[in-house]
Amino acid sequence: MYKNFSQSRLPIKTRKLLILITTALTTLLLVIGLPTVTTSPVVAQSNTSLLISAAASLKEVLVEIQPLYQQSQPNVNINYNFGSSGTLQQQIEQGAPTDIFISAAKKQVDTLEQKGLLVTGSRNIIAKNRLVLIVPKNAVGINSFYSLKDAKVKKIAIGEPRSVPAGQYAQQVLEKLKIWTEVKSKLVFANNVRQVLASVESGNADTGLVYATDAKISNRVKVVVTADEKYHSPIIYPLAVVKRSKNVNAAKEFSQFLSSNQAKAVFKKYGFILP
């Protein structure tokens, strides 16, 4: 028969010594284990990468904002996918690994939200814009929207209204002014607003309708007239986090940064209107 062994039956001095040894070993293990606990989150953060699908008209401003954000978040890699809002919407619907979507109109974001593809409560308007009629820098003779009816105007570039918000706004303006039917045969449709700008810059189009911010970045075109806002839907840039994102928290943090004073200063620099 074996007898039960208990610490309580040891001499008092021996028990005290065991307690001291146990305490020392516990402290040593905690100290040794501490670095492992504190370094693991840093390793995880270094793998964070975000893909932002954004309207083409936002290219310069978002590219300039990127290093500003990474000054405080160096472990977050920012990648951009620029294009027409309608095309970007379709890419997201088809499963593109997008974390954040920034459209040049609410229609595309509304559609994705209705399909349950966006994170609830993540929508936010980050900027506004204006629509302008532009011509090549040295062009003369076009001084209003009604000039588009003149026989000497052969080609008018606008975005494809079905997928390019700038084209949708352009159609609304021309219809409101009751000249859409008269100029329709002259229209040249582009895949995004930057293609409209390039067509006018190169002289391939006599004139075109783009955002005020697009005209601002070019020294080869000039603005003839700014469309009255009552002639088209509000030109806004809504942002939302895509539900499929594997980095929702990081996406939300970047979205919040786009509404910070630091980011707003960049938007303002490029001519965007702050909401």
Side-chain angles (χ1 to χ4, degrees):
M1 296 289 291
Y2 290 100
K3 294 182 179 180
N4 290 332
F5 182 78
S6 172
Q7 234 186 55
S8 62
R9 301 175 67 176
L10 293 173
I12 294 176
K13 287 185 178 180
T14 304
R15 275 185 281 162
K16 287 184 177 179
L17 181 61
L18 285 173
I19 291 172
L20 288 172
I21 292 172
T22 303
T23 303
L25 285 172
T26 302
T27 304
L28 180 62
L29 287 172
L30 287 172
V31 172
I32 292 173
L34 194 57
T36 303
V37 174
T38 55
T39 55
S40 56
V42 177
V43 174
Q45 287 180 4
S46 66
N47 296 325
T48 303
S49 182
L50 295 177
L51 177 62
I52 293 88
S53 290
S57 51
L58 291 169
K59 183 176 181 178
E60 286 75 18
V61 66
L62 289 181
V63 168
E64 187 164 324
I65 284 175
Q66 179 178 346
L68 299 179
Y69 180 72
Q70 292 184 316
Q71 286 176 5
S72 60
Q73 299 293 338
N75 295 318
V76 179
N77 298 314
I78 303 296
N79 301 293
Y80 293 117
N81 174 32
F82 296 105
S84 72
S85 299
T87 299
L88 298 177
Q89 172 203 330
Q90 291 178 356
Q91 290 175 358
I92 293 171
E93 290 175 340
Q94 293 166 7
T98 303
D99 296 287
I100 298 172
F101 177 45
I102 311 176
S103 175
K106 68 187 294 290
K107 174 184 175 182
Q108 290 75 21
V109 180
D110 286 345
T111 300
L112 292 179
E113 187 170 46
Q114 290 164 7
K115 293 185 177 183
L117 297 177
L118 304 178
V119 174
T120 303
S122 66
R123 287 186 64 161
N124 183 33
I125 297 174
I126 60 172
K128 298 181 180 181
N129 217 330
R130 297 294 300 275
L131 190 72
V132 297
L133 181 68
I134 59 170
V135 296
K137 193 73 171 180
N138 299 319
V140 294
I142 299 177
N143 49 36
S144 74
F145 282 108
Y146 294 106
S147 298
L148 302 181
K149 298 188 296 181
D150 295 347
K152 61 184 177 182
V153 177
K154 305 295 184 183
K155 292 182 179 181
I156 305 167
I158 69 170
E160 165 55 60
R162 290 173 296 181
S163 60
V164 184
Q168 178 188 350
Y169 300 132
Q171 180 175 351
Q172 290 175 351
V173 170
L174 297 176
E175 287 180 338
K176 195 72 175 180
L177 295 173
K178 302 186 185 305
I179 60 175
W180 171 260
T181 302
E182 292 182 67
V183 303
K184 192 174 182 179
S185 62
K186 303 179 182 183
L187 297 177
V188 179
F189 299 109
N191 292 329
N192 61 63
V193 71
R194 288 302 169 85
Q195 286 187 9
V196 176
L197 178 64
S199 294
V200 179
E201 285 179 326
S202 64
N204 289 332
D206 300 304
T207 182
L209 283 98
V210 299
Y211 298 122
T213 53
D214 297 307
K216 185 178 177 65
I217 64 170
S218 176
N219 58 9
R220 290 188 286 168
V221 302
K222 62 182 178 182
V223 175
V224 173
V225 61
T226 300
D228 193 316
E229 291 181 287
K230 67 184 179 183
Y231 293 153
H232 58 74
S233 302
I235 302 176
I236 59 174
Y237 290 81
L239 168 155
V241 176
V242 180
K243 188 177 290 186
R244 194 181 295 109
S245 171
K246 295 180 180 179
N247 299 293
V248 171
N249 289 335
K252 286 182 177 180
E253 288 179 5
F254 182 72
S255 300
Q256 291 171 358
F257 183 80
L258 292 180
S259 296
S260 68
N261 290 334
Q262 196 173 9
K264 284 180 179 179
V266 182
F267 275 102
K268 190 174 181 179
K269 169 185 173 182
Y270 283 93
F272 287 90
I273 302 167
L274 301 179

